[in-house]
Amino acid sequence: MKAIAVINGTLHDVDLPAPQPQGRDLVVKVEAISVNPVDYKQRKAAAHDGEPSLVGWDVAGTVSAVGPQATLFKVGDPVYYAGSVVRPGANSEFHAVDERIVGRKPASLSMEQAAALPLTSITAWEALFERLGVSRNGTDEGKSVLIIGGAGGVGSIAIQLAKKLAKLNVIATASRRASEQWCRALGADHVIDHLGDMPAQLAALGLAEVDFILCLNDIDAHFAATAAAIAPQGKICAIVRNERPLPMDLVFGKSVTVVFEMMFTRSMFGTADMIEQHKLLNEVAALVDAGVLTTTVGETGGRIDAANLTRAHAALEAGRTIGKIVLAGF
C-alpha cells in the first residue's frame, strides 16, 4: 500500500505492507484524513533510526476487512475515527483500528468533511461533558464557559457543543479578525483576544467570572489569567500538557477543579469503557445529520502525499490555522 512515513524526522512517500485485522480490528480503506498538532509532535518524537513509522489520527473511509471478533461493522461500511496513538498512524491507503473507537460516518457529509471531525469531536466532548461535567442536556443553561483558542480544530467543535447542546454563554478567544468571525459563525456569544488581558476583557463584557474554562493551547501561558477569571468552585480543563509546575496556589482559595483531557487515554490503556468513543462518534454523526453540528473544515490541502502533509504540518506548527486541514485520495 502507499503510505507517507516518518523517516528520520521528515515525511516520505513509501510502499508498506497492508495491515491484517486481528481481534476486534477493522481494516479501513483510507479516503480522507485531517491533520492535528499530535501529528507533528509524534513526527518529531519518532526514532531517528532510518526505520519508517506512521503518524496521522483522523480518518474517514470504508471498511475493507474485519477481524474475527469484530461485531459492530461490516465490509463496505463508511466510518470515521481518530485511532490510537500507541498503534501505527493512518497516513496510509489502509489502516487497522479497534472497532470500539470507530463511529459510522455522518451520512450527510463527504469523506473530506467527515475526516475533519473525529479527534476534535472526541476531545471537545470528553473535555466538556466528562472532565468539566457540563450537562449536555441543557440543565446548565445560562452558565458561562471561556474557550481559549476557539478557532482551532477542537475549539471549532467545542463552541458548537457548548452553545447548541449545553446552551452555555460561550466566550471564545481569537487573536485575528478572520478567526474572530469564524468563532462567531460557529455560535460564540462573545469573542475576546487571548493575547490581551482576558480578565479585563471579560469584565468589560459584564462577566466578573466564568463557571468553566476550556484551555486549548498553552496552559502555562494562560494559567494566571484562567485563575483570575474562574468562579469560586469553578472548573478548568486543559488539553495541552504543562511544561512547568502550575501555580496551583492561585486557585486553591477558590476550591477550583483543574483537570486534563487526553482523548487517547481510553485507547492507550485499553480501558473497560473504550466503546464510549464509538457511542460518542455515533452521537456526533446523528447531530451532524440532524443539522445541529457542522463540519469544521478550514482548508483543503490536496491529495494525501508527503509534500502536502509536510505543508500541513508546517501550517499547524505556525499556529495560524482556522478549523481543520483536510487531505483526500492517494
Side-chain angles (χ1 to χ4, degrees), residues 230-268:
I230 194 69
Q233 302 184 89
K235 296 181 179 180
I236 299 168
C237 179
I239 70 165
V240 178
R241 187 198 309 269
N242 55 302
E243 297 297 328
R244 54 185 183 271
L246 296 175
M248 301 301 289
D249 57 300
L250 297 180
V251 294
F252 175 80
K254 292 183 178 180
S255 297
V256 167
T257 299
V258 179
V259 294
F260 292 88
E261 159 59 18
M262 169 65 160
M263 61 79 53
F264 292 114
T265 296
R266 282 173 160 139
S267 57
M268 283 174 65

PDB file of all heavy atoms in Angstrom, residues 230-268:
ATOM      1  N   ILE A 230     -11.742  32.395  36.668  1.00  0.00           N
ATOM      2  CA  ILE A 230     -12.634  31.304  37.051  1.00  0.00           C
ATOM      3  C   ILE A 230     -13.415  31.652  38.311  1.00  0.00           C
ATOM      4  O   ILE A 230     -12.900  32.289  39.233  1.00  0.00           O
ATOM      5  CB  ILE A 230     -11.847  29.981  37.241  1.00  0.00           C
ATOM      6  CG1 ILE A 230     -12.785  28.774  37.305  1.00  0.00           C
ATOM      7  CG2 ILE A 230     -10.961  30.046  38.474  1.00  0.00           C
ATOM      8  CD1 ILE A 230     -13.467  28.463  35.994  1.00  0.00           C
ATOM      9  N   ALA A 231     -14.665  31.221  38.347  1.00  0.00           N
ATOM     10  CA  ALA A 231     -15.516  31.469  39.511  1.00  0.00           C
ATOM     11  C   ALA A 231     -15.120  30.563  40.677  1.00  0.00           C
ATOM     12  O   ALA A 231     -14.556  29.481  40.467  1.00  0.00           O
ATOM     13  CB  ALA A 231     -16.970  31.210  39.146  1.00  0.00           C
ATOM     14  N   PRO A 232     -15.385  30.953  41.899  1.00  0.00           N
ATOM     15  CA  PRO A 232     -15.199  30.040  43.025  1.00  0.00           C
ATOM     16  C   PRO A 232     -15.957  28.737  42.763  1.00  0.00           C
ATOM     17  O   PRO A 232     -17.102  28.751  42.319  1.00  0.00           O
ATOM     18  CB  PRO A 232     -15.795  30.807  44.200  1.00  0.00           C
ATOM     19  CG  PRO A 232     -15.651  32.245  43.813  1.00  0.00           C
ATOM     20  CD  PRO A 232     -15.873  32.274  42.332  1.00  0.00           C
ATOM     21  N   GLN A 233     -15.280  27.621  43.014  1.00  0.00           N
ATOM     22  CA  GLN A 233     -15.803  26.272  42.780  1.00  0.00           C
ATOM     23  C   GLN A 233     -16.028  25.976  41.294  1.00  0.00           C
ATOM     24  O   GLN A 233     -16.746  25.039  40.942  1.00  0.00           O
ATOM     25  CB  GLN A 233     -17.092  26.018  43.573  1.00  0.00           C
ATOM     26  CG  GLN A 233     -16.915  26.208  45.079  1.00  0.00           C
ATOM     27  CD  GLN A 233     -18.148  25.870  45.870  1.00  0.00           C
ATOM     28  OE1 GLN A 233     -18.349  24.724  46.274  1.00  0.00           O
ATOM     29  NE2 GLN A 233     -18.988  26.882  46.094  1.00  0.00           N
ATOM     30  N   GLY A 234     -15.381  26.767  40.443  1.00  0.00           N
ATOM     31  CA  GLY A 234     -15.459  26.524  39.014  1.00  0.00           C
ATOM     32  C   GLY A 234     -14.511  25.418  38.594  1.00  0.00           C
ATOM     33  O   GLY A 234     -13.800  24.821  39.411  1.00  0.00           O
ATOM     34  N   LYS A 235     -14.470  25.153  37.274  1.00  0.00           N
ATOM     35  CA  LYS A 235     -13.651  24.058  36.751  1.00  0.00           C
ATOM     36  C   LYS A 235     -12.865  24.521  35.528  1.00  0.00           C
ATOM     37  O   LYS A 235     -13.398  25.220  34.654  1.00  0.00           O
ATOM     38  CB  LYS A 235     -14.531  22.864  36.372  1.00  0.00           C
ATOM     39  CG  LYS A 235     -15.252  22.230  37.562  1.00  0.00           C
ATOM     40  CD  LYS A 235     -16.097  21.040  37.122  1.00  0.00           C
ATOM     41  CE  LYS A 235     -16.796  20.404  38.315  1.00  0.00           C
ATOM     42  NZ  LYS A 235     -17.617  19.235  37.906  1.00  0.00           N
ATOM     43  N   ILE A 236     -11.598  24.112  35.489  1.00  0.00           N
ATOM     44  CA  ILE A 236     -10.698  24.418  34.377  1.00  0.00           C
ATOM     45  C   ILE A 236     -10.245  23.104  33.761  1.00  0.00           C
ATOM     46  O   ILE A 236      -9.831  22.190  34.483  1.00  0.00           O
ATOM     47  CB  ILE A 236      -9.469  25.212  34.854  1.00  0.00           C
ATOM     48  CG1 ILE A 236      -9.876  26.555  35.475  1.00  0.00           C
ATOM     49  CG2 ILE A 236      -8.480  25.428  33.709  1.00  0.00           C
ATOM     50  CD1 ILE A 236      -8.746  27.247  36.222  1.00  0.00           C
ATOM     51  N   CYS A 237     -10.300  22.997  32.438  1.00  0.00           N
ATOM     52  CA  CYS A 237      -9.787  21.813  31.742  1.00  0.00           C
ATOM     53  C   CYS A 237      -8.765  22.252  30.704  1.00  0.00           C
ATOM     54  O   CYS A 237      -9.015  23.193  29.941  1.00  0.00           O
ATOM     55  CB  CYS A 237     -10.917  21.040  31.062  1.00  0.00           C
ATOM     56  SG  CYS A 237     -10.354  19.578  30.146  1.00  0.00           S
ATOM     57  N   ALA A 238      -7.630  21.574  30.662  1.00  0.00           N
ATOM     58  CA  ALA A 238      -6.587  21.845  29.667  1.00  0.00           C
ATOM     59  C   ALA A 238      -6.376  20.599  28.822  1.00  0.00           C
ATOM     60  O   ALA A 238      -6.472  19.471  29.319  1.00  0.00           O
ATOM     61  CB  ALA A 238      -5.282  22.233  30.347  1.00  0.00           C
ATOM     62  N   ILE A 239      -6.072  20.797  27.534  1.00  0.00           N
ATOM     63  CA  ILE A 239      -5.811  19.653  26.660  1.00  0.00           C
ATOM     64  C   ILE A 239      -4.353  19.587  26.213  1.00  0.00           C
ATOM     65  O   ILE A 239      -3.972  18.671  25.490  1.00  0.00           O
ATOM     66  CB  ILE A 239      -6.733  19.654  25.430  1.00  0.00           C
ATOM     67  CG1 ILE A 239      -6.371  20.782  24.458  1.00  0.00           C
ATOM     68  CG2 ILE A 239      -8.201  19.732  25.834  1.00  0.00           C
ATOM     69  CD1 ILE A 239      -6.981  20.621  23.080  1.00  0.00           C
ATOM     70  N   VAL A 240      -3.543  20.563  26.636  1.00  0.00           N
ATOM     71  CA  VAL A 240      -2.117  20.579  26.294  1.00  0.00           C
ATOM     72  C   VAL A 240      -1.317  20.405  27.575  1.00  0.00           C
ATOM     73  O   VAL A 240      -1.593  21.058  28.586  1.00  0.00           O
ATOM     74  CB  VAL A 240      -1.726  21.890  25.585  1.00  0.00           C
ATOM     75  CG1 VAL A 240      -0.229  21.916  25.290  1.00  0.00           C
ATOM     76  CG2 VAL A 240      -2.523  22.063  24.294  1.00  0.00           C
ATOM     77  N   ARG A 241      -0.337  19.534  27.536  1.00  0.00           N
ATOM     78  CA  ARG A 241       0.500  19.247  28.705  1.00  0.00           C
ATOM     79  C   ARG A 241       1.241  20.495  29.176  1.00  0.00           C
ATOM     80  O   ARG A 241       1.806  21.237  28.368  1.00  0.00           O
ATOM     81  CB  ARG A 241       1.518  18.172  28.338  1.00  0.00           C
ATOM     82  CG  ARG A 241       2.350  17.638  29.501  1.00  0.00           C
ATOM     83  CD  ARG A 241       3.587  16.922  28.964  1.00  0.00           C
ATOM     84  NE  ARG A 241       3.257  15.926  27.950  1.00  0.00           N
ATOM     85  CZ  ARG A 241       3.000  14.647  28.207  1.00  0.00           C
ATOM     86  NH1 ARG A 241       3.014  14.212  29.455  1.00  0.00           N
ATOM     87  NH2 ARG A 241       2.729  13.806  27.227  1.00  0.00           N
ATOM     88  N   ASN A 242       1.222  20.742  30.479  1.00  0.00           N
ATOM     89  CA  ASN A 242       2.006  21.853  31.020  1.00  0.00           C
ATOM     90  C   ASN A 242       3.482  21.494  31.011  1.00  0.00           C
ATOM     91  O   ASN A 242       3.864  20.345  31.268  1.00  0.00           O
ATOM     92  CB  ASN A 242       1.544  22.220  32.439  1.00  0.00           C
ATOM     93  CG  ASN A 242       1.561  21.052  33.385  1.00  0.00           C
ATOM     94  OD1 ASN A 242       0.899  20.038  33.144  1.00  0.00           O
ATOM     95  ND2 ASN A 242       2.303  21.172  34.478  1.00  0.00           N
ATOM     96  N   GLU A 243       4.328  22.479  30.734  1.00  0.00           N
ATOM     97  CA  GLU A 243       5.773  22.246  30.656  1.00  0.00           C
ATOM     98  C   GLU A 243       6.486  22.554  31.963  1.00  0.00           C
ATOM     99  O   GLU A 243       7.646  22.198  32.142  1.00  0.00           O
ATOM    100  CB  GLU A 243       6.373  23.092  29.530  1.00  0.00           C
ATOM    101  CG  GLU A 243       5.843  22.737  28.135  1.00  0.00           C
ATOM    102  CD  GLU A 243       6.188  21.322  27.726  1.00  0.00           C
ATOM    103  OE1 GLU A 243       7.251  20.816  28.136  1.00  0.00           O
ATOM    104  OE2 GLU A 243       5.382  20.709  26.998  1.00  0.00           O
ATOM    105  N   ARG A 244       5.823  23.226  32.870  1.00  0.00           N
ATOM    106  CA  ARG A 244       6.402  23.517  34.175  1.00  0.00           C
ATOM    107  C   ARG A 244       5.287  23.424  35.218  1.00  0.00           C
ATOM    108  O   ARG A 244       4.104  23.437  34.871  1.00  0.00           O
ATOM    109  CB  ARG A 244       7.040  24.912  34.194  1.00  0.00           C
ATOM    110  CG  ARG A 244       6.125  26.054  33.764  1.00  0.00           C
ATOM    111  CD  ARG A 244       6.880  27.370  33.708  1.00  0.00           C
ATOM    112  NE  ARG A 244       6.013  28.492  33.372  1.00  0.00           N
ATOM    113  CZ  ARG A 244       5.759  28.899  32.139  1.00  0.00           C
ATOM    114  NH1 ARG A 244       6.309  28.256  31.115  1.00  0.00           N
ATOM    115  NH2 ARG A 244       4.964  29.931  31.909  1.00  0.00           N
ATOM    116  N   PRO A 245       5.642  23.298  36.495  1.00  0.00           N
ATOM    117  CA  PRO A 245       4.608  23.165  37.521  1.00  0.00           C
ATOM    118  C   PRO A 245       3.634  24.341  37.502  1.00  0.00           C
ATOM    119  O   PRO A 245       4.047  25.505  37.440  1.00  0.00           O
ATOM    120  CB  PRO A 245       5.406  23.119  38.825  1.00  0.00           C
ATOM    121  CG  PRO A 245       6.753  22.615  38.427  1.00  0.00           C
ATOM    122  CD  PRO A 245       7.006  23.186  37.063  1.00  0.00           C
ATOM    123  N   LEU A 246       2.352  24.041  37.536  1.00  0.00           N
ATOM    124  CA  LEU A 246       1.338  25.095  37.548  1.00  0.00           C
ATOM    125  C   LEU A 246       1.225  25.680  38.955  1.00  0.00           C
ATOM    126  O   LEU A 246       1.261  24.939  39.941  1.00  0.00           O
ATOM    127  CB  LEU A 246      -0.017  24.539  37.113  1.00  0.00           C
ATOM    128  CG  LEU A 246      -0.098  24.020  35.676  1.00  0.00           C
ATOM    129  CD1 LEU A 246      -1.462  23.384  35.422  1.00  0.00           C
ATOM    130  CD2 LEU A 246       0.160  25.145  34.671  1.00  0.00           C
ATOM    131  N   PRO A 247       1.081  26.995  39.074  1.00  0.00           N
ATOM    132  CA  PRO A 247       0.973  27.633  40.389  1.00  0.00           C
ATOM    133  C   PRO A 247      -0.429  27.418  40.983  1.00  0.00           C
ATOM    134  O   PRO A 247      -1.284  28.306  40.954  1.00  0.00           O
ATOM    135  CB  PRO A 247       1.251  29.109  40.091  1.00  0.00           C
ATOM    136  CG  PRO A 247       0.811  29.285  38.670  1.00  0.00           C
ATOM    137  CD  PRO A 247       1.088  27.987  37.976  1.00  0.00           C
ATOM    138  N   MET A 248      -0.649  26.233  41.529  1.00  0.00           N
ATOM    139  CA  MET A 248      -1.977  25.872  41.993  1.00  0.00           C
ATOM    140  C   MET A 248      -2.456  26.726  43.169  1.00  0.00           C
ATOM    141  O   MET A 248      -3.658  26.774  43.455  1.00  0.00           O
ATOM    142  CB  MET A 248      -2.000  24.390  42.387  1.00  0.00           C
ATOM    143  CG  MET A 248      -1.637  23.441  41.256  1.00  0.00           C
ATOM    144  SD  MET A 248      -2.729  23.588  39.810  1.00  0.00           S
ATOM    145  CE  MET A 248      -4.226  22.874  40.461  1.00  0.00           C
ATOM    146  N   ASP A 249      -1.530  27.418  43.818  1.00  0.00           N
ATOM    147  CA  ASP A 249      -1.941  28.314  44.903  1.00  0.00           C
ATOM    148  C   ASP A 249      -2.880  29.404  44.403  1.00  0.00           C
ATOM    149  O   ASP A 249      -3.658  29.972  45.179  1.00  0.00           O
ATOM    150  CB  ASP A 249      -0.716  28.945  45.560  1.00  0.00           C
ATOM    151  CG  ASP A 249       0.154  29.715  44.572  1.00  0.00           C
ATOM    152  OD1 ASP A 249       0.637  29.087  43.604  1.00  0.00           O
ATOM    153  OD2 ASP A 249       0.348  30.927  44.758  1.00  0.00           O
ATOM    154  N   LEU A 250      -2.824  29.695  43.082  1.00  0.00           N
ATOM    155  CA  LEU A 250      -3.688  30.739  42.530  1.00  0.00           C
ATOM    156  C   LEU A 250      -5.163  30.339  42.540  1.00  0.00           C
ATOM    157  O   LEU A 250      -6.044  31.200  42.486  1.00  0.00           O
ATOM    158  CB  LEU A 250      -3.260  31.077  41.098  1.00  0.00           C
ATOM    159  CG  LEU A 250      -1.859  31.669  40.909  1.00  0.00           C
ATOM    160  CD1 LEU A 250      -1.592  31.934  39.429  1.00  0.00           C
ATOM    161  CD2 LEU A 250      -1.689  32.949  41.721  1.00  0.00           C
ATOM    162  N   VAL A 251      -5.442  29.036  42.583  1.00  0.00           N
ATOM    163  CA  VAL A 251      -6.835  28.586  42.554  1.00  0.00           C
ATOM    164  C   VAL A 251      -7.253  27.866  43.835  1.00  0.00           C
ATOM    165  O   VAL A 251      -8.417  27.509  43.997  1.00  0.00           O
ATOM    166  CB  VAL A 251      -7.100  27.661  41.335  1.00  0.00           C
ATOM    167  CG1 VAL A 251      -6.953  28.433  40.035  1.00  0.00           C
ATOM    168  CG2 VAL A 251      -6.174  26.455  41.340  1.00  0.00           C
ATOM    169  N   PHE A 252      -6.321  27.676  44.760  1.00  0.00           N
ATOM    170  CA  PHE A 252      -6.617  26.933  45.980  1.00  0.00           C
ATOM    171  C   PHE A 252      -7.759  27.571  46.769  1.00  0.00           C
ATOM    172  O   PHE A 252      -8.714  26.901  47.182  1.00  0.00           O
ATOM    173  CB  PHE A 252      -5.367  26.834  46.861  1.00  0.00           C
ATOM    174  CG  PHE A 252      -5.624  26.185  48.192  1.00  0.00           C
ATOM    175  CD1 PHE A 252      -5.695  24.809  48.292  1.00  0.00           C
ATOM    176  CD2 PHE A 252      -5.811  26.957  49.332  1.00  0.00           C
ATOM    177  CE1 PHE A 252      -5.942  24.201  49.525  1.00  0.00           C
ATOM    178  CE2 PHE A 252      -6.059  26.361  50.557  1.00  0.00           C
ATOM    179  CZ  PHE A 252      -6.127  24.979  50.655  1.00  0.00           C
ATOM    180  N   GLY A 253      -7.686  28.878  46.957  1.00  0.00           N
ATOM    181  CA  GLY A 253      -8.690  29.559  47.767  1.00  0.00           C
ATOM    182  C   GLY A 253     -10.090  29.492  47.179  1.00  0.00           C
ATOM    183  O   GLY A 253     -11.086  29.577  47.917  1.00  0.00           O
ATOM    184  N   LYS A 254     -10.182  29.315  45.864  1.00  0.00           N
ATOM    185  CA  LYS A 254     -11.482  29.225  45.207  1.00  0.00           C
ATOM    186  C   LYS A 254     -12.017  27.792  45.143  1.00  0.00           C
ATOM    187  O   LYS A 254     -13.103  27.555  44.605  1.00  0.00           O
ATOM    188  CB  LYS A 254     -11.382  29.770  43.775  1.00  0.00           C
ATOM    189  CG  LYS A 254     -11.140  31.270  43.670  1.00  0.00           C
ATOM    190  CD  LYS A 254     -11.139  31.688  42.195  1.00  0.00           C
ATOM    191  CE  LYS A 254     -10.952  33.192  42.024  1.00  0.00           C
ATOM    192  NZ  LYS A 254     -10.952  33.573  40.585  1.00  0.00           N
ATOM    193  N   SER A 255     -11.261  26.830  45.650  1.00  0.00           N
ATOM    194  CA  SER A 255     -11.653  25.411  45.555  1.00  0.00           C
ATOM    195  C   SER A 255     -11.972  25.020  44.116  1.00  0.00           C
ATOM    196  O   SER A 255     -12.989  24.385  43.806  1.00  0.00           O
ATOM    197  CB  SER A 255     -12.862  25.115  46.454  1.00  0.00           C
ATOM    198  OG  SER A 255     -12.553  25.334  47.813  1.00  0.00           O
ATOM    199  N   VAL A 256     -11.079  25.412  43.218  1.00  0.00           N
ATOM    200  CA  VAL A 256     -11.278  25.173  41.791  1.00  0.00           C
ATOM    201  C   VAL A 256     -10.821  23.758  41.419  1.00  0.00           C
ATOM    202  O   VAL A 256      -9.815  23.260  41.935  1.00  0.00           O
ATOM    203  CB  VAL A 256     -10.500  26.217  40.964  1.00  0.00           C
ATOM    204  CG1 VAL A 256     -10.410  25.835  39.492  1.00  0.00           C
ATOM    205  CG2 VAL A 256     -11.167  27.584  41.110  1.00  0.00           C
ATOM    206  N   THR A 257     -11.545  23.123  40.527  1.00  0.00           N
ATOM    207  CA  THR A 257     -11.151  21.836  39.961  1.00  0.00           C
ATOM    208  C   THR A 257     -10.321  22.089  38.707  1.00  0.00           C
ATOM    209  O   THR A 257     -10.745  22.836  37.818  1.00  0.00           O
ATOM    210  CB  THR A 257     -12.383  21.008  39.583  1.00  0.00           C
ATOM    211  OG1 THR A 257     -13.154  20.761  40.761  1.00  0.00           O
ATOM    212  CG2 THR A 257     -11.995  19.680  38.951  1.00  0.00           C
ATOM    213  N   VAL A 258      -9.132  21.481  38.623  1.00  0.00           N
ATOM    214  CA  VAL A 258      -8.280  21.571  37.437  1.00  0.00           C
ATOM    215  C   VAL A 258      -8.098  20.157  36.893  1.00  0.00           C
ATOM    216  O   VAL A 258      -7.622  19.266  37.608  1.00  0.00           O
ATOM    217  CB  VAL A 258      -6.907  22.200  37.754  1.00  0.00           C
ATOM    218  CG1 VAL A 258      -6.037  22.250  36.502  1.00  0.00           C
ATOM    219  CG2 VAL A 258      -7.084  23.601  38.338  1.00  0.00           C
ATOM    220  N   VAL A 259      -8.510  19.940  35.655  1.00  0.00           N
ATOM    221  CA  VAL A 259      -8.454  18.606  35.062  1.00  0.00           C
ATOM    222  C   VAL A 259      -7.803  18.678  33.685  1.00  0.00           C
ATOM    223  O   VAL A 259      -7.655  19.751  33.102  1.00  0.00           O
ATOM    224  CB  VAL A 259      -9.864  17.984  34.933  1.00  0.00           C
ATOM    225  CG1 VAL A 259     -10.472  17.725  36.296  1.00  0.00           C
ATOM    226  CG2 VAL A 259     -10.785  18.882  34.103  1.00  0.00           C
ATOM    227  N   PHE A 260      -7.425  17.512  33.180  1.00  0.00           N
ATOM    228  CA  PHE A 260      -6.822  17.406  31.855  1.00  0.00           C
ATOM    229  C   PHE A 260      -7.640  16.451  30.999  1.00  0.00           C
ATOM    230  O   PHE A 260      -8.254  15.518  31.504  1.00  0.00           O
ATOM    231  CB  PHE A 260      -5.375  16.921  31.944  1.00  0.00           C
ATOM    232  CG  PHE A 260      -4.453  17.922  32.567  1.00  0.00           C
ATOM    233  CD1 PHE A 260      -4.266  17.954  33.946  1.00  0.00           C
ATOM    234  CD2 PHE A 260      -3.780  18.848  31.791  1.00  0.00           C
ATOM    235  CE1 PHE A 260      -3.433  18.891  34.535  1.00  0.00           C
ATOM    236  CE2 PHE A 260      -2.940  19.787  32.369  1.00  0.00           C
ATOM    237  CZ  PHE A 260      -2.762  19.804  33.743  1.00  0.00           C
ATOM    238  N   GLU A 261      -7.618  16.707  29.696  1.00  0.00           N
ATOM    239  CA  GLU A 261      -8.277  15.825  28.736  1.00  0.00           C
ATOM    240  C   GLU A 261      -7.256  15.352  27.711  1.00  0.00           C
ATOM    241  O   GLU A 261      -6.588  16.153  27.059  1.00  0.00           O
ATOM    242  CB  GLU A 261      -9.415  16.545  28.017  1.00  0.00           C
ATOM    243  CG  GLU A 261      -9.856  15.943  26.688  1.00  0.00           C
ATOM    244  CD  GLU A 261     -10.347  14.503  26.766  1.00  0.00           C
ATOM    245  OE1 GLU A 261     -10.682  14.009  27.870  1.00  0.00           O
ATOM    246  OE2 GLU A 261     -10.405  13.859  25.711  1.00  0.00           O
ATOM    247  N   MET A 262      -7.122  14.025  27.603  1.00  0.00           N
ATOM    248  CA  MET A 262      -6.269  13.387  26.604  1.00  0.00           C
ATOM    249  C   MET A 262      -7.142  12.357  25.890  1.00  0.00           C
ATOM    250  O   MET A 262      -7.482  11.328  26.473  1.00  0.00           O
ATOM    251  CB  MET A 262      -5.071  12.723  27.282  1.00  0.00           C
ATOM    252  CG  MET A 262      -4.255  11.820  26.400  1.00  0.00           C
ATOM    253  SD  MET A 262      -3.425  12.672  25.057  1.00  0.00           S
ATOM    254  CE  MET A 262      -2.156  11.466  24.653  1.00  0.00           C
ATOM    255  N   MET A 263      -7.534  12.642  24.655  1.00  0.00           N
ATOM    256  CA  MET A 263      -8.536  11.790  24.020  1.00  0.00           C
ATOM    257  C   MET A 263      -8.015  10.386  23.696  1.00  0.00           C
ATOM    258  O   MET A 263      -8.795   9.481  23.427  1.00  0.00           O
ATOM    259  CB  MET A 263      -9.106  12.444  22.756  1.00  0.00           C
ATOM    260  CG  MET A 263      -8.158  12.745  21.628  1.00  0.00           C
ATOM    261  SD  MET A 263      -7.703  11.343  20.577  1.00  0.00           S
ATOM    262  CE  MET A 263      -9.278  10.704  20.117  1.00  0.00           C
ATOM    263  N   PHE A 264      -6.702  10.179  23.761  1.00  0.00           N
ATOM    264  CA  PHE A 264      -6.147   8.851  23.512  1.00  0.00           C
ATOM    265  C   PHE A 264      -6.101   7.974  24.771  1.00  0.00           C
ATOM    266  O   PHE A 264      -5.688   6.821  24.697  1.00  0.00           O
ATOM    267  CB  PHE A 264      -4.731   8.968  22.943  1.00  0.00           C
ATOM    268  CG  PHE A 264      -4.672   9.538  21.553  1.00  0.00           C
ATOM    269  CD1 PHE A 264      -4.080  10.756  21.308  1.00  0.00           C
ATOM    270  CD2 PHE A 264      -5.219   8.856  20.477  1.00  0.00           C
ATOM    271  CE1 PHE A 264      -4.015  11.289  20.036  1.00  0.00           C
ATOM    272  CE2 PHE A 264      -5.167   9.374  19.197  1.00  0.00           C
ATOM    273  CZ  PHE A 264      -4.557  10.597  18.971  1.00  0.00           C
ATOM    274  N   THR A 265      -6.496   8.503  25.917  1.00  0.00           N
ATOM    275  CA  THR A 265      -6.368   7.740  27.162  1.00  0.00           C
ATOM    276  C   THR A 265      -7.058   6.382  27.068  1.00  0.00           C
ATOM    277  O   THR A 265      -6.487   5.348  27.434  1.00  0.00           O
ATOM    278  CB  THR A 265      -6.935   8.543  28.351  1.00  0.00           C
ATOM    279  OG1 THR A 265      -6.146   9.715  28.531  1.00  0.00           O
ATOM    280  CG2 THR A 265      -6.905   7.718  29.632  1.00  0.00           C
ATOM    281  N   ARG A 266      -8.297   6.366  26.597  1.00  0.00           N
ATOM    282  CA  ARG A 266      -9.045   5.105  26.550  1.00  0.00           C
ATOM    283  C   ARG A 266      -8.352   4.067  25.671  1.00  0.00           C
ATOM    284  O   ARG A 266      -8.226   2.899  26.054  1.00  0.00           O
ATOM    285  CB  ARG A 266     -10.469   5.371  26.065  1.00  0.00           C
ATOM    286  CG  ARG A 266     -11.365   5.964  27.155  1.00  0.00           C
ATOM    287  CD  ARG A 266     -12.719   6.376  26.624  1.00  0.00           C
ATOM    288  NE  ARG A 266     -13.691   6.496  27.707  1.00  0.00           N
ATOM    289  CZ  ARG A 266     -14.591   7.462  27.811  1.00  0.00           C
ATOM    290  NH1 ARG A 266     -14.648   8.413  26.884  1.00  0.00           N
ATOM    291  NH2 ARG A 266     -15.442   7.484  28.814  1.00  0.00           N
ATOM    292  N   SER A 267      -7.886   4.480  24.478  1.00  0.00           N
ATOM    293  CA  SER A 267      -7.239   3.517  23.584  1.00  0.00           C
ATOM    294  C   SER A 267      -5.826   3.173  24.033  1.00  0.00           C
ATOM    295  O   SER A 267      -5.364   2.044  23.842  1.00  0.00           O
ATOM    296  CB  SER A 267      -7.227   4.054  22.150  1.00  0.00           C
ATOM    297  OG  SER A 267      -6.584   5.315  22.066  1.00  0.00           O
ATOM    298  N   MET A 268      -5.112   4.119  24.643  1.00  0.00           N
ATOM    299  CA  MET A 268      -3.755   3.851  25.130  1.00  0.00           C
ATOM    300  C   MET A 268      -3.738   2.764  26.202  1.00  0.00           C
ATOM    301  O   MET A 268      -2.872   1.886  26.220  1.00  0.00           O
ATOM    302  CB  MET A 268      -3.132   5.120  25.718  1.00  0.00           C
ATOM    303  CG  MET A 268      -2.642   6.135  24.712  1.00  0.00           C
ATOM    304  SD  MET A 268      -2.090   7.659  25.534  1.00  0.00           S
ATOM    305  CE  MET A 268      -0.683   7.052  26.459  1.00  0.00           C
TER     306      MET A 268
END
